[in-house]
Amino acid sequence: MAKVNEQEMALARVYSSAMWDVAEGAGQADALLAELSDLAAYLDKNTEFGAFLSNPTVEADTRKKLLEKLFRGRYSDTLVDSLQVLNGKDRLNLLRSVAESYRLLHEEHRRHVEVFVRTAVPLTDSLRGVIRDAAAKRTGRQAILVETVDPSVIGGLIVHIGDEKYDMSVSMLLRAVYDKLLDRASREIHGGRAFREGSLAA
Amino acid sequence: MKFKVDEISSVIAEEIRNYRTEVDIAEVGRVLEVGDGIARVYGLKNAMSGERLDFANGASGQVFNLEENSVGVVVFGDYLGIKEGDEVRRSGELLSVPCGDKMVGRVVDPLGRPLDGKGAVDTRERRPLEFKAPGIAQRQPVNEPLQTGIKAIDSMTPIGRGQRELIIGDRKTGKTAIAIDTIINQKGGDVICVYVAVGLKESTVASVIEKLRQTGAMDYTIVVSAGSSDPAPLQYIAPYAGAAMAEYFMYKYGRATLCVYDDLSKQAQSYRQLSLLLRRPPGREAYPGDVFYLHSRLLERSVKLREEFGVVPKDTPANSTDRKVIKKHPQGLAAPVEQRPDDDAGLYHRPHGEHRAKDWLATLPDKDKYRVHKFPDSGGSMTALPIIETLEGEVSAYIPTNVISITDGQIYLEPDLFFAGIRPAINVGISVSRVGGNAQRKAMKKVSGSLRLDLASFRELEAFAQLGTELDAATQKQLDRGARMVELLKQPQYKPFNVNDQIVSIFSGSRGFLDNLPINWVSEFEQELLKHVRDEYPEVVKEIDEKKDIDKEMEPKLQKIVAAFKERFLAAKK
């Protein structure tokens, strides 16, 4: 559910699938995902770094040196080399999309599915198991839970799997009752049967 | 009326008790970007083209573009309240509008929400906005007139029920006036009217509604308004919404309906705006490639539905639409021609269907137990009066040519005529009605037979006569006749003429009674003649109305009446 740009994603898919082939060959596909997510999270937090990477006035050579200095040794060689290739092709601005596209690719290959769970209080382990099982049964894939605690849910839980949303929250129930009452009142007023004294007894 | 707090709370308690705990399952996407009435939504992999979507702020939208990872959506209503990342739900249904008897007399927006401050429209019926036009088998040729009440139109470019007649002209030439007069003329008749205002000034719409109200036309009219200040998506769907509301009456009750689309050039412009914002490739005049389909699918929905008859048990209620009770001809489609049904279900729906059904019924041994039934949901019609505004009389621009080619004729209005005082400013030479002639009353056909050609040759001669050349008597006569006919066809706004009045009035002109009258007396002569005929000879008017023809007996009778009146009129003038 990250922000994506159609055209960027199309370009990014080429790079990410190449990265997947290299990493999977070296048995580092999972590790690379962790590193990329880490990098993506850093980019989301530090937009200036993203701006630096995509700024055309910065020379590719300068960036190349900086990337070596920053990441070599900290991240795996596969990732740093990939970054250098992106830099060489002037595609570092795609980094965020490459990370997202790699994640989707990883999900697809490993038959994983991300399940977003929103609850008012943190989940217990047994509940996690139940959700994971239910999601696995529904999608035929292994569920990776992404949990969010949100007091506005009030109670129950909201689960997102792919495009589908399963809302079992108290806030949804309250909203539904509110809508129904409003609808009923509006119909009765316009239908000429307002809330008169004793009208409900019948 | 008193409200009791505990009663209200008991209502709430009742609702809560009856509320079954259900999981709310929905397919949702997220807004990527929004602006100018357009949103791009990520996700919604299963969304259909044309499906309704619901935004978190209560606005609804329609899926327009299906792309690889996102969908392009047009937003109806408040797109400023939609934020990036908002949830968008699939509804699983196509866009629809409320319909029903209660819609009549109301002013609504293209989504059916009331604009007239009279509260919600209490109806549960809905019809899809986009509805496939009936095919060949469901139709019959146009054969019933739709009286516009305008002499120049009913005599020379007659409109039939189910026809699509374009009204085209520059700004300020009286296009809307013709449509409004036509609606007003349906008073007392059986036609339900829908006036769709697209991209008009709100003040214009307000004055139109006020006029309809004053003349009592709102009793049978629905106004759908998407003014120029409404977002483009609403303007784009307005004609379809109006058509859907009319279709309700046509398909459910077999009623005759009239839809005025005022105007389709504005609708095409709003569609162009949407298409360009959605990055669809522009074509001629920057309109998208499917702008022809935009209008053709709308106007194809105009139809004269076939009338369906069947032999049913005698106790079948008159409003029954159940085709299962039909008694089928034992020989089916192999029956003798004069009794043959038109399909396997035993329906009679082609020409003379009623006669064939009756013929067969007469041969039945137990014919007392059956009767011929006309299904009340058949035989309805939807007449369309689309309006197109041209620039500087340019009819060869993209949209005018498109709509001209789709419609069954056009009424062409000209500013020159308008300012010369000829109102309605119809250019008779290039206005045509391709199918309306079949629907015209015989009487009207007889009195106005050569009117169109006469007027056209008059215009030619008129230009020639301006050169100041000497004219022979025959030419001079033709000029005199033409000038008086032009004068006779002038008609003030909001004063539609009854068809019998039109016949008498055009009769007096085309039979030459006006030729030696000074031109400025023509209008007075006409008014007094009509009054005279109505007051003194109501039986003649009745006969014309019933026979719908001016036959050999009628012709001399009418000649005599008009001649006698003319003498009186001239005497009074002296």
Side-chain angles (χ1 to χ4, degrees), chain A residues 3 6 163 165 167 187 198, chain B residues 26 28 44-45 87 124:
Chain A
K3 257 198 285 177
E6 204 80 33
D163 277 351
K165 177 189 175 190
D167 197 336
R187 277 198 191 284
Chain B
V28 295
L44 296 176
K45 283 198 175 54
E87 203 176 271
R124 283 193 181 269

Side-chain angles (χ1 to χ4, degrees), chain A residues 132-185:
Chain A
R132 229 176 253 134
D133 289 348
K137 212 168 131 194
R138 187 146 190 101
T139 58
R141 292 171 174 228
Q142 193 187 335
I144 310 288
L145 294 192
V146 182
E147 297 167 26
T148 332
V149 175
D150 178 0
S152 73
V153 175
I154 304 177
L157 73 170
I158 303 171
V159 180
H160 277 276
I161 308 174
D163 277 351
E164 302 225 304
K165 177 189 175 190
Y166 301 85
D167 197 336
M168 295 157 272
S169 65
V170 174
S171 64
M172 179 273 293
L173 292 176
L174 284 175
R175 207 170 43 244
V177 170
Y178 170 83
D179 288 346
K180 248 184 124 177
L181 281 171
L182 206 64
D183 183 52
R184 176 170 164 178

Side-chain angles (χ1 to χ4, degrees), chain B residues 143-156:
Chain B
N143 56 17
E144 231 181 310
L146 182 104
Q147 304 294 351
T148 63
I150 298 166
K151 281 177 285 183
I153 295 176
D154 285 342
S155 61
M156 289 180 290

Side-chain angles (χ1 to χ4, degrees), chain B residues 292-437:
Chain B
F292 185 87
Y293 183 52
L294 174 82
H295 290 145
S296 65
R297 70 171 192 266
L298 170 72
L299 294 170
E300 266 305 292
R301 285 160 76 171
S302 292
V303 56
K304 170 80 181 156
L305 290 174
R306 67 188 188 188
E307 285 177 326
E308 296 180 349
F309 297 93
V311 175
V312 297
K314 199 145 215 172
D315 55 350
T316 312
N319 60 2
S320 164
T321 58
D322 183 10
R323 266 73 166 170
K324 285 189 197 107
V325 299
I326 292 177
K327 181 175 169 62
K328 291 183 193 169
H329 199 292
Q331 286 162 278
L333 296 177
V337 177
E338 60 275 12
Q339 304 177 358
R340 189 180 294 164
D342 295 317
D343 61 20
D344 288 330
L347 273 180
Y348 292 82
H349 52 65
R350 292 190 33 247
H352 312 297
E354 192 176 7
H355 291 291
R356 276 177 288 134
K358 277 183 179 157
D359 283 354
W360 175 50
L361 180 64
T363 64
L364 283 178
D366 51 352
K367 60 182 170 202
D368 300 339
K369 289 186 192 149
Y370 295 96
R371 66 184 179 81
V372 173
H373 178 63
K374 187 197 165 201
F375 290 96
D377 56 349
S378 70
S381 69
M382 182 160 129
T383 313
L385 290 181
I387 294 177
I388 290 281
E389 185 178 298
T390 52
L391 285 172
E392 299 289 322
E394 179 70 16
V395 278
S396 54
Y398 193 23
I399 302 301
T401 38
N402 275 355
V403 184
I404 286 173
S405 74
I406 295 165
T407 49
D408 310 306
Q410 66 272 0
I411 294 166
Y412 187 69
L413 303 173
E414 271 190 348
D416 293 352
L417 295 173
F418 188 84
F419 294 118
I422 302 171
R423 300 176 195 182
I426 299 171
N427 181 328
V428 179
I430 52 178
S431 298
V432 289
S433 171
R434 286 195 265 261
V435 293

Side-chain angles (χ1 to χ4, degrees), chain B residues 64-352:
Chain B
F64 248 52
N65 277 1
L66 297 172
E67 282 154 30
E68 198 172 339
N69 284 313
S70 64
V71 290
V73 183
V74 297
V75 185
F76 304 118
D78 177 25
Y79 69 85
L80 295 173
I82 298 170
K83 295 190 293 292
E84 183 190 346
D86 270 2
E87 203 176 271
V88 188
R89 288 170 159 255
R90 273 188 65 189
S91 67
E93 52 193 38
L94 296 173
L95 207 59
S96 64
V97 285
C99 300
D101 305 2
K102 296 259 173 74
M103 296 296 288
V104 175
R106 301 298 301 265
V107 182
V108 295
D109 78 352
L111 292 171
R113 296 176 296 208
L115 296 172
D116 50 8
K118 291 184 186 165
V121 186
D122 183 25
T123 175
R124 283 193 181 269
E125 306 247 15
R126 296 187 81 84
R127 281 190 70 87
L129 204 71
E130 301 271 5
F131 189 76
K132 198 174 175 309
I136 303 164
Q138 275 77 48
R139 295 173 184 250
Q140 65 170 316
V142 170
N143 56 17
E144 231 181 310
L146 182 104
Q147 304 294 351
T148 63
I150 298 166
K151 281 177 285 183
I153 295 176
D154 285 342
S155 61
M156 289 180 290
T157 47
I159 299 172
R161 292 187 176 179
Q163 189 181 347
R164 304 153 298 172
E165 181 82 0
L166 172 65
I167 302 173
I168 187 168
D170 279 10
R171 59 189 191 84
K172 290 271 152 220
T173 48
K175 300 183 298 296
T176 303
I178 286 183
I180 298 304
D181 278 358
T182 309
I183 292 179
I184 292 173
N185 191 48
Q186 306 310 316
K187 194 173 166 116
D190 57 345
V191 182
I192 297 274
C193 303
V194 179
Y195 178 77
V196 183
V198 187
L200 296 190
K201 285 179 292 184
E202 305 280 355
S203 62
T204 312
V205 183
S207 66
V208 165
I209 294 168
E210 194 44 44
K211 199 72 217 174
L212 292 176
R213 207 161 268 153
Q214 277 170 17
T215 50
M218 278 311 276
D219 296 346
Y220 51 87
T221 304
I222 304 171
V223 177
V224 180
S225 170
S228 48
S229 63
D230 283 323
L234 282 181
Q235 296 187 31
Y236 152 66
I237 62 164
Y240 301 103
M245 289 170 194
E247 273 169 343
Y248 169 85
F249 296 98
M250 174 170 73
Y251 287 117
K252 189 154 187 205
Y253 304 121
R255 291 286 292 269
T257 58
L258 167 73
C259 280
V260 177
Y261 307 116
D262 192 2
D263 67 65
L264 289 187
S265 24
K266 299 263 171 38
Q267 191 226 3
Q269 280 167 7
S270 57
Y271 186 61
R272 171 170 67 183
Q273 179 184 330
L274 290 183
S275 296
L276 292 175
L277 287 168
L278 281 162
R279 294 170 184 280
R280 291 182 177 181
R284 182 174 162 192
E285 290 178 26
Y287 286 104
D290 62 342
V291 76
F292 185 87
Y293 183 52
L294 174 82
H295 290 145
S296 65
R297 70 171 192 266
L298 170 72
L299 294 170
E300 266 305 292
R301 285 160 76 171
S302 292
V303 56
K304 170 80 181 156
L305 290 174
R306 67 188 188 188
E307 285 177 326
E308 296 180 349
F309 297 93
V311 175
V312 297
K314 199 145 215 172
D315 55 350
T316 312
N319 60 2
S320 164
T321 58
D322 183 10
R323 266 73 166 170
K324 285 189 197 107
V325 299
I326 292 177
K327 181 175 169 62
K328 291 183 193 169
H329 199 292
Q331 286 162 278
L333 296 177
V337 177
E338 60 275 12
Q339 304 177 358
R340 189 180 294 164
D342 295 317
D343 61 20
D344 288 330
L347 273 180
Y348 292 82
H349 52 65
R350 292 190 33 247
H352 312 297

